[in-house]
Amino acid sequence: MIKREKVVNILQSTVFNREITVLGWVKTFRNNQFIALNDGSCMSNIQIVVDFANTSEDILKKITTGAAISITGQLVESLGKGQSVEVKATAIEILGESDAEKFPLQPKKHSLEFLREIAHLRFRTQTFNAVFKIRHKLAFAVHQFFNDKGFVYLHTPIITASDAEGAGEMFRVTTLDFDATPRNEDNSINYKEDFFGRSANLTVSGQLEAELGAMALGEVYTFGPTFRAENSNTTRHLAEFWMIEPEVAFADLEDNMNLAEDLLKYVIKYAINHCPEELAFLTNRLAEEEKNKPQAERSDLDLMAKLQFCLDNNFERLTYTEAIEILKRSKPNQKKQFKYLIDEWGADLQSEHERYLVEKHFKKPVILTDYPADIKSFYMRMNEPDEQGRKTVRAMDILFPGIGEMVGGSQREERLDYLKTRMGEMHIPEDELYWYLDTRKFGTAPHAGFGLGFERLVLFVTGMTNIRDVIPFPRFPKNAEF
RNA sequence: UCCUAAGUAGCUCAGCUGGUUAGAGCAUCUGACUGUUAAUCAGAGGGUCCCUGGUUCGAGUCCAGGCUUGGGAGCCA
């Protein structure tokens, strides 16, 4: 067993002049004398003082940025400024060398674009140390939140045979030999020969399966990987991402909104309470980035203040129809500054409109509800048409500043006849979803749920701006390295 | 997929209306110094100028096609 003390504990220790062993990776080696050592247990480094006069040249040469080393020495109060404790090394062991000519990380600022190209090494930077710690804490907080409320964590399938969900392009799953695919008489591919005896895909959503669980367990949630084969090239989309999808029986849209707002506030608060060092670092990092931006593009609140603001204020709730009225009267619409002008009820909101509502008009998270039925999915509950005969569904989207849509959800259509009518209109084959329809045949009940994009949450909390920097190994078009 | 900008040393970037041997800072290496905080000082090495064609006496620079990346848009979480 390797006996060692973690840097996080050493830095807080007040018991001096005792021998300790610390293992970690060298961040810098200054003046042939001072090692900044990090073991991942916290963002800060421990300073190791090397008696270079009594250390072999061979060892000194191998103390390079990136090398893994073991230090045994005396924990003492630091003689220098900048740190309170340090370790006077008495024994140095090189565990793993790091060729200084080849190791790409230098003790200096690197661009996020460059670090993305070395995603296998970017964990070793402070920024990614902070991002992935926060990511972990947020994931843990999600489970804690739901567990405390009595929800059941449901593992919905990653491989699905259904291609009727309509949530986007899917990745095919097959064991067929591409060079010799079995064919039917009409030359179409014979999926009966495939592994599952039918065509299969990676899941684009666990919602339909979660609904099945909710109809017995009452309150369930999923938290798993989700795959979309869209050719999306943005700072907000990934081909493989993680989604949290609660589904609650005996709940309406208002319950759904309350649940989503409570969840978001809970996990953000959890991050603030459990990642103070990481958030302070990222707040500072973002502030430095903003210094390079023109005044007009800088935000009034820093990252910590933004998170706190989010906790202290209720999300603004309004209907799509109300939002359209606000947008119609808005300055950018009247002055024709929007690329897509708002003139008619029924149009889908573009991201410039969402941004206006969230960032300019309300200046806080916004929950939009009751969208036109024509632009939403088949499973959303139909409202009674309004006095003008306009049809809306009980949908809700939660929009966040800088992120856009963080949550998309709805009260589900529990009435079999309404559901079948909608499926017919939207050309969704009933026979493929017979199991879904069965829930409406046998003891149907009002229920609601939503999908929360986990990486978008991490984006918001960390203040990072590209979604590819908040997941360890991002998958996006033309990129699946590592 | 569309619009737009970019691709030059390990990194960040400069390179003018086409013209000798393509530069800087940091990093690396060598030496000096030794309580440093991205240490400092001196010196040295380091290039498929994204790829393929084309124009030209001559292309890092101009043209065409392609690849990749950043930003914006669409699709969405």
Side-chain angles (χ1 to χ4, degrees):
Chain A
M1 187 178 145
I2 295 175
K3 200 176 155 223
R4 65 158 178 140
E5 265 185 72
K6 289 188 184 179
V7 171
V8 65
N9 297 326
I10 295 170
L11 288 173
Q12 282 160 15
S13 176
T14 50
V15 186
F16 297 114
N17 302 312
R18 61 193 173 94
E19 182 169 270
I20 61 167
T21 298
V22 54
L23 279 68
W25 293 272
V26 175
K27 305 291 274 192
T28 63
F29 185 32
R30 286 184 295 269
N31 220 355
N32 226 8
Q33 208 178 165
F34 303 101
I35 303 169
L37 195 70
N38 188 282
D39 67 357
S41 63
C42 61
M43 295 193 66
S44 309
N45 307 319
I46 181 80
Q47 171 154 290
I48 310 295
V49 184
V50 178
D51 179 6
F52 63 90
N54 292 307
T55 303
S56 79
E57 191 73 8
D58 181 52
I59 293 279
L60 288 175
K61 280 222 185 308
K62 287 177 179 168
I63 303 173
T64 56
T65 302
I69 62 174
S70 170
I71 298 288
T72 298
Q74 290 287 315
L75 180 65
V76 295
E77 284 185 88
S78 180
L79 298 175
K81 288 172 191 151
Q83 60 283 315
S84 54
V85 302
E86 62 192 19
V87 178
K88 277 186 117 58
T90 50
I92 302 170
E93 186 190 345
I94 308 293
L95 303 172
E97 295 175 34
S98 175
D99 186 341
E101 287 210 58
K102 295 189 179 130
F103 188 62
L105 288 170
Q106 301 158 20
K108 72 167 213 176
K109 205 182 153 176
H110 289 292
S111 69
L112 293 172
E113 291 83 3
F114 171 65
L115 294 172
R116 223 170 279 149
E117 289 170 20
I118 50 166
H120 57 308
L121 296 172
R122 68 178 178 170
F123 295 105
R124 301 186 184 202
T125 64
Q126 286 187 295
T127 298
F128 286 96
N129 181 311
V131 165
F132 293 125
K133 286 250 175 74
I134 291 173
R135 185 182 164 108
H136 158 71
K137 291 290 182 190
L138 287 169
F140 187 82
V142 165
H143 287 300
Q144 184 130 307
F145 173 85
F146 283 122
N147 185 57
D148 288 352
K149 284 189 176 302
F151 279 64
V152 172
Y153 176 28
L154 197 68
H155 293 111
T156 50
I158 288 168
I159 299 172
T160 62
S162 155
D163 62 352
E165 290 167 37
E169 291 295 311
M170 302 174 115
F171 288 103
R172 280 274 162 81
V173 175
T174 182
T175 53
L176 292 179
D177 179 354
F178 285 176
D179 296 322
T181 48
R183 299 280 171 167
N184 296 313
E185 284 186 4
D186 63 357
N187 205 36
S188 61
I189 292 172
N190 181 7
Y191 285 107
K192 290 205 172 80
E193 300 273 316
D194 205 349
F195 188 88
F196 296 107
R198 56 192 297 180
S199 73
N201 302 293
L202 292 179
T203 181
V204 291
S205 164
Q207 179 201 318
L208 301 189
E209 291 89 349
E211 284 189 51
L212 311 184
M215 286 296 110
L217 297 161
E219 294 170 311
V220 303
Y221 71 105
T222 74
F223 187 173
T226 308
F227 307 88
R228 305 266 168 98
E230 307 286 350
N231 191 8
S232 294
N233 294 285
T234 77
T235 54
R236 304 176 303 284
H237 291 87
L238 291 165
E240 176 183 290
F241 63 100
W242 289 67
M243 186 155 63
I244 297 141
E245 296 179 289
E247 199 66 40
V248 183
F250 313 119
D252 62 13
L253 190 68
E254 197 187 339
D255 297 318
N256 207 27
M257 288 190 281
N258 291 340
L259 180 68
E261 186 167 342
D262 286 351
L263 168 64
L264 286 166
K265 286 181 170 171
Y266 180 91
V267 298
I268 291 168
K269 186 161 191 204
Y270 192 92
I272 290 174
N273 289 341
H274 291 83
C275 306
E277 189 188 19
E278 288 76 13
L279 283 172
F281 176 84
L282 290 170
T283 297
N284 187 48
R285 186 189 169 279
L286 194 61
E288 290 293 320
E289 291 267 298
E290 295 231 323
K291 278 185 191 165
N292 300 323
K293 284 191 187 167
Q295 199 98 45
E297 287 174 33
R298 296 182 204 170
S299 53
D300 348 330
L301 296 177
D302 71 17
L303 176 61
M304 273 303 288
K306 218 169 67 184
L307 297 179
Q308 194 57 48
F309 180 87
C310 182
L311 297 184
D312 295 341
N313 291 276
N314 291 328
F315 296 1
E316 190 70 33
R317 300 182 183 189
L318 70 161
T319 65
Y320 166 89
T321 305
E322 288 164 338
I324 288 287
E325 286 308 313
I326 289 169
L327 288 167
K328 262 192 198 167
R329 292 195 303 269
S330 71
K331 238 187 225 171
N333 200 55
Q334 308 239 319
K335 290 192 172 175
K336 301 194 190 305
Q337 286 162 344
F338 282 143
K339 196 172 162 207
Y340 299 91
L341 293 175
I342 298 283
D343 48 358
E344 271 181 55
W345 189 94
D348 209 348
L349 298 180
Q350 306 293 319
S351 55
E352 59 179 347
H353 307 131
E354 295 180 350
R355 274 210 314 275
Y356 175 83
L357 288 171
V358 173
E359 291 161 24
K360 293 275 178 345
H361 191 84
F362 292 112
K363 293 184 192 276
K364 58 175 171 172
V366 170
I367 310 184
L368 286 182
T369 63
D370 300 287
Y371 282 76
D374 287 348
I375 58 174
K376 287 292 182 182
S377 307
F378 74 93
Y379 49 74
M380 297 186 175
R381 193 177 199 278
M382 190 71 73
N383 286 314
E384 287 302 308
D386 68 5
E387 54 278 15
Q388 297 172 54
R390 299 185 298 205
K391 285 184 182 172
T392 56
V393 290
R394 300 242 78 189
M396 66 136 182
D397 282 2
I398 304 186
L399 310 176
F400 261 65
I403 313 285
E405 189 179 339
M406 175 93 77
V407 167
S410 69
Q411 185 173 336
R412 315 306 189 193
E413 182 57 82
E414 84 281 15
R415 299 162 298 185
L416 183 62
D417 48 340
Y418 277 84
L419 187 57
K420 279 183 158 179
T421 305
R422 278 284 275 169
M423 287 172 72
E425 284 168 6
M426 300 176 94
H427 308 293
I428 292 161
E430 280 184 29
D431 53 343
E432 284 199 33
L433 290 181
Y434 75 91
W435 45 270
Y436 184 68
L437 290 167
D438 269 3
T439 57
R440 274 66 169 172
K441 284 181 191 162
F442 308 121
T444 191
H447 62 290
F450 60 83
L452 165 64
F454 184 58
E455 282 75 19
R456 291 186 181 177
L457 171 65
V458 182
L459 265 186
F460 180 73
V461 176
T462 58
M464 300 295 282
T465 50
N466 193 318
I467 202 162
R468 296 167 185 180
D469 296 329
V470 298
I471 187 167
F473 302 106
R475 269 81 180 96
F476 51 97
K478 304 277 181 279
N479 199 306
E481 210 172 335
F482 310 113

